[in-house]
Amino acid sequence: MNHNHQEMMRLSKRMAELGLCSRREADGYIEQGWVKVNGQTAVLGQKVGLSDRIDLDKKAHESQAGRVTILLNKPVGYVSAHAEKGYASAASLITEENRWEGDSSGIVFKKNHSRGLAPAGRLDIDSVGLLVLTQDGRIAKQLIGEQSGIEKEYLVRVKGTLSEEGLRLLNHGLSLDGEKLRPAQVTWQNQDQLRFILKQGKKRQIRRMCELVGLRVVGLKRIRMGKVKLGALPPGKWRYLDKKEKF
């Protein structure tokens, strides 16, 4: 079967495109011998075409099913990813003692649940609220992948004066790093607090957007990602994403 040269791509990239897993997971599955292309066991670095049939062994599906996603109400002073400059990482809060009593997922805590957790959408050290930590590459891709259209909602306390024009610009018309920002929804929540709903997440985006219109952010809290809300989860506590919950 003759493939047109353009449509050949790395198997791991194709698997990620199909939503089977992340690229990194794909390479792991290929190494384990858990991936077949047109019925043949795949090898690392293999190229495939769009019409090639890709099958995942049930062991790969089981490995995915055993992965957990954790929702944390991140306090100030913790970094989202790896510990740095004397600050602890948010993942260090994922202990049995810190689990919220209101967790209704029914998932039994296992030591390996606190390993290999990656933040899907970071929060700055001085920001608080909903931080999603996941072992599942598919969820990470859904929340922070290039194509992610998932809404992230924030309450932002600000100092300074915001004109009508400034508010209009926050909603649409600002650029960061030489790139126009996607439209946002920004409204006043109360006298000193704005509500931001964004579909992208550039580094320190909200703080930088506010600076551009003459505001200074004094507090930032993420309260929702997609359909999942922070809700009553107390600061410093975490819970599992329930099997029934979807972003």
Side-chain angles (χ1 to χ4, degrees):
M1 185 169 162
N2 259 347
H3 282 298
N4 173 343
H5 187 67
Q6 271 100 15
E7 59 168 358
M8 298 302 279
M9 67 173 91
R10 281 184 76 98
L11 174 55
S12 54
K13 183 178 182 211
R14 178 67 177 146
M15 287 169 70
E17 267 185 12
L18 290 168
L20 293 170
C21 53
S22 71
R23 286 194 195 189
R24 204 180 60 197
E25 288 170 324
D27 286 333
Y29 294 156
I30 296 164
E31 281 179 322
Q32 300 270 5
W34 291 349
V35 183
K36 285 199 162 75
V37 176
N38 302 327
Q40 302 289 315
T41 302
V43 293
L44 270 179
Q46 185 167 344
K47 296 271 206 295
V48 293
L50 299 180
S51 57
D52 287 321
R53 200 182 79 241
I54 300 169
D55 294 304
L56 264 185
D57 190 286
K58 80 170 196 301
K59 289 200 190 79
H61 291 296
E62 281 161 13
S63 147
Q64 283 179 327
R67 297 211 174 130
V68 295
T69 296
I70 282 172
L71 311 172
L72 170 71
N73 186 345
K74 185 186 97 60
V76 168
Y78 285 83
V79 288
S80 294
H82 309 294
E84 54 183 82
K85 297 195 283 284
Y87 294 111
S89 81
S92 67
L93 291 167
I94 311 306
T95 61
E96 201 155 8
E97 303 75 62
N98 272 343
R99 185 178 181 177
W100 181 41
E101 299 80 59
D103 185 335
S104 57
S105 65
I107 298 171
V108 178
F109 180 73
K110 298 195 181 86
K111 272 279 188 283
N112 65 353
H113 287 173
S114 56
R115 286 192 207 114
L117 286 170
R122 297 182 176 197
L123 282 174
D124 298 330
I125 192 156
D126 34 12
S127 303
V128 300
L130 181 60
L131 183 65
V132 177
L133 297 161
T134 187
Q135 295 177 332
D136 191 332
R138 294 166 302 179
I139 285 186
K141 184 169 182 251
Q142 190 190 356
L143 291 178
I144 54 174
E146 278 298 297
Q147 303 307 312
S148 175
I150 284 187
E151 289 186 347
K152 289 97 180 171
E153 185 174 345
Y154 303 81
L155 295 179
V156 185
R157 283 216 322 285
V158 289
K159 286 245 164 74
T161 314
L162 181 63
S163 64
E164 284 293 316
E165 172 63 5
L167 186 59
R168 201 182 61 72
L169 283 171
L170 284 176
N171 278 277
H172 196 207
L174 295 177
S175 295
L176 287 177
D177 310 324
E179 193 186 318
K180 280 199 172 358
L181 293 175
R182 291 187 208 166
Q185 293 171 50
V186 184
T187 50
W188 281 104
Q189 172 74 1
N190 52 39
Q191 280 177 326
D192 64 347
Q193 194 160 265
L194 290 164
R195 174 187 296 266
F196 275 72
I197 298 176
L198 302 180
K199 286 190 173 174
Q200 66 191 123
K202 285 185 168 294
K203 198 169 171 58
R204 297 182 84 79
Q205 179 170 339
I206 290 175
R207 292 170 194 279
R208 291 162 69 199
M209 285 171 77
C210 286
E211 274 163 22
L212 289 174
V213 296
L215 293 175
R216 189 165 64 82
V217 170
V218 289
L220 189 151
K221 180 183 196 178
R222 182 158 58 204
I223 57 169
R224 177 171 70 84
M225 288 189 82
K227 299 197 221 25
V228 175
K229 295 188 170 116
L230 180 63
L233 185 63
K237 296 284 187 187
W238 63 272
R239 69 176 181 86
Y240 287 106
L241 180 73
D242 202 311
K243 293 277 184 255
K244 298 188 293 290
E245 289 181 290
K246 291 273 181 288
F247 289 103

